[in-house]
Amino acid sequence: MRLQGDMESTDDELDQSVFENKNGLADDMAFLASMPELCDVTFLVGDTREPVCAVKAVLAARSRVFHKMLYQPPSPQRKKEVLPKETTKLRRPTFLKRSSEPLLNVKNANTQTQSNQHQTVVVDEFEPDVFRQLIEYIHTGCVTLQPRTLLGVLNAADYYGLEDLRKACTGFVQCCINVDTVCALLSSAERYIQYKCTKSLVQKVLEFVDEHGNEVLNLGSFALLPLHVVRLILSRDELKADEFTKFQAALMWTMKYGDTNSNVDWKEVFVENFMSSIQYHKIPANVLMNEVEPLKLVPYEVIMTSLAYQADPSCVDPDKLKRALRMGNYHGLMGISSTIGTVTAERTMSVQSSGTHHGSSSTISSIGSSDLVGSDKT
């Protein structure tokens, strides 16, 4: 509540007092929208068809899109597109949605111009939580923005022509992107990938991930991201993360995927989707041999070629190695004489492990050659 006085001492003007109770008005409007018997339109939202009630006059006053949808008769072409009453629903368009082109179908299409009749509208485009926040803002002028629903509210605001809300969401993006929220934002992007506002927000999130790669990849929530999002992140050249952290993140994701899909071989999923995203020659030799090789997940030829590169970078072409990984041509890695150089296909690579009372050591050598490819001692 705010009391604002504007007092003038001149004889020509009377004393004035302007009283504003915006909070009280917002509370009353929120109460109005929460009472179905006081509303004249019900939206059935999402796959669960969750009901969200509203007042048509308020919607129409605040959004031209809602005004056109609820009060203007459909064009002859749109009339032909309306499905029978019992099956009327929103169809998901395959093109980019714009706020000036709503694609809502109204069940009571034949009587939608009658403002005194209750209408029911099916909304497939947005999730119930997102649409409820939109209706709350329209009725009260107030809404609590959260990272989990931010992207949905942003696109809903743009879709229904609520410019102030869209700007508020865009501004909130700048301060809400952090290590704790990036995965939630990327997960919601999956739902709204076809909307035009999603691209700019996702780009900002990916730029943050690039700068904080090691932190993000170590998050437990990273394993819950969609497959194509994980592949996109791990394959980005801009990602500032060490290769072993990338390997661990991909391993964590595939193991989690295997836990929820028991009929799938998670190792095959790793090889098919992430093998070429890791630059194994940049993983230290001791880590390759002690952490990666024992898993029997990365082909032996890849391990050996990576160690050969670390022993002599001139003997392996990293670009050709990456292409071989992408094509799955693992067995041919050691046979590329032009890239392996002194390490040829005729050399048989072996790992000789020995243990003493002083500790253990691993030596990687080439039979018939005195060159030391890699050595680790603990």
Side-chain angles (χ1 to χ4, degrees):
M1 182 180 295
R2 181 164 64 110
L3 181 64
Q4 177 180 320
D6 183 10
M7 309 292 291
E8 296 291 344
S9 59
T10 60
D11 296 335
D12 297 335
E13 297 183 7
L14 298 175
D15 292 341
Q16 298 182 26
S17 177
V18 178
F19 173 73
E20 294 182 355
N21 185 13
K22 294 181 179 179
N23 290 336
L25 176 61
D27 292 340
D28 292 340
M29 292 298 291
F31 175 77
L32 174 64
S34 68
M35 301 295 290
E37 62 270 24
L38 300 179
C39 299
D40 53 6
V41 60
T42 299
F43 297 93
L44 302 179
V45 187
D47 296 334
T48 59
R49 295 293 185 260
E50 188 169 333
V52 178
C53 298
V55 179
K56 289 192 292 185
V58 176
L59 298 178
R62 300 269 283 158
S63 166
R64 292 184 179 182
V65 177
F66 275 119
H67 179 269
K68 181 179 180 180
M69 180 187 72
L70 297 172
Y71 285 94
Q72 295 184 11
S75 63
Q77 182 179 359
R78 291 199 181 276
K79 282 184 179 181
K80 295 178 182 179
E81 295 176 355
V82 174
L83 300 174
K85 181 176 181 180
E86 63 275 13
T87 60
T88 300
K89 59 180 290 187
L90 289 178
R91 296 189 302 169
R92 294 183 186 278
T94 57
F95 51 84
L96 211 57
K97 297 186 177 73
R98 300 181 182 278
S99 59
S100 60
E101 299 176 355
L103 297 175
L104 296 171
N105 289 319
V106 182
K107 280 189 174 182
N108 301 350
N110 57 339
T111 59
Q112 66 178 348
T113 57
Q114 301 178 14
S115 59
N116 62 337
Q117 186 170 354
H118 194 98
Q119 291 180 244
T120 301
V121 181
V122 177
V123 179
D124 276 334
E125 273 74 6
F126 301 101
E127 298 168 299
D129 287 348
V130 168
F131 197 78
R132 191 178 295 105
Q133 286 185 284
L134 180 80
I135 295 300
E136 177 186 355
Y137 171 77
I138 291 177
H139 283 76
T140 67
C142 178
V143 68
T144 301
L145 298 177
Q146 303 171 341
R148 182 178 62 84
T149 56
L150 177 62
L151 190 55
V153 174
L154 170 64
N155 284 292
D158 179 68
Y159 183 60
Y160 291 105
L162 301 170
E163 186 63 17
D164 290 342
L165 180 58
R166 188 192 66 80
K167 289 181 179 179
C169 291
T170 303
F172 183 61
V173 168
Q174 306 299 328
C175 62
C176 83
I177 299 179
N178 55 56
V179 173
D180 296 324
T181 62
V182 287
C183 290
L185 290 169
L186 289 172
S187 294
S188 63
E190 172 76 3
R191 165 73 171 169
Y192 301 106
I193 196 64
Q194 74 271 33
Y195 289 83
K196 63 180 181 180
C197 289
T198 300
K199 183 177 180 179
S200 59
L201 186 144
V202 170
Q203 182 60 36
K204 289 183 174 64
V205 175
L206 289 176
E207 290 172 359
F208 178 89
V209 173
D210 291 338
E211 293 296 322
H212 303 81
N214 287 325
E215 294 178 84
V216 175
L217 297 186
N218 282 316
L219 292 172
S221 53
F222 185 82
L224 303 177
L225 291 174
L227 172 60
H228 71 274
V229 175
V230 176
R231 292 183 62 180
L232 172 64
I233 292 174
L234 295 180
S235 62
R236 286 174 64 84
D237 294 333
E238 300 86 354
L239 181 64
K240 296 179 180 179
D242 63 78
E243 297 303 313
F244 184 60
T245 298
K246 290 169 60 177
F247 174 82
Q248 289 181 307
L251 181 64
M252 178 178 65
W253 189 95
T254 50
M255 293 180 68
K256 181 70 175 179
Y257 183 82
D259 290 341
T260 56
N261 298 271
S262 57
N263 60 330
V264 176
D265 186 343
W266 66 268
K267 291 187 177 182
E268 291 184 1
V269 174
F270 179 93
V271 172
E272 180 180 348
N273 293 283
F274 301 118
M275 183 65 72
S276 62
S277 299
I278 315 297
Q279 300 183 67
Y280 298 95
H281 62 283
K282 293 184 178 180
I283 299 177
N286 64 317
V287 177
L288 271 175
M289 296 306 300
N290 296 329
E291 303 290 341
V292 179
E293 195 278 333
L295 296 173
K296 305 303 179 184
L297 191 61
V298 180
Y300 181 79
E301 292 83 358
V302 176
I303 298 289
M304 293 299 102
T305 304
S306 299
L307 293 173
Y309 175 87
Q310 294 181 26
D312 181 8
S314 65
C315 74
V316 179
D317 184 343
D319 292 333
K320 289 188 177 181
L321 173 59
K322 188 174 183 179
R323 285 196 298 270
L325 289 172
R326 189 182 301 116
M327 297 173 62
N329 185 24
Y330 312 129
H331 298 291
L333 286 174
M334 299 303 291
I336 307 176
S337 56
S338 61
T339 60
I340 299 301
T342 59
V343 183
T344 65
E346 290 77 15
R347 288 180 174 180
T348 304
M349 306 299 294
S350 66
V351 178
Q352 299 176 343
S353 298
S354 64
T356 68
H357 64 278
H358 297 293
S360 61
S361 63
S362 296
T363 303
I364 295 126
S365 61
S366 298
I367 296 177
S369 172
S370 61
D371 294 339
L372 183 65
V373 179
S375 163
D376 292 292
K377 294 183 179 181
T378 56

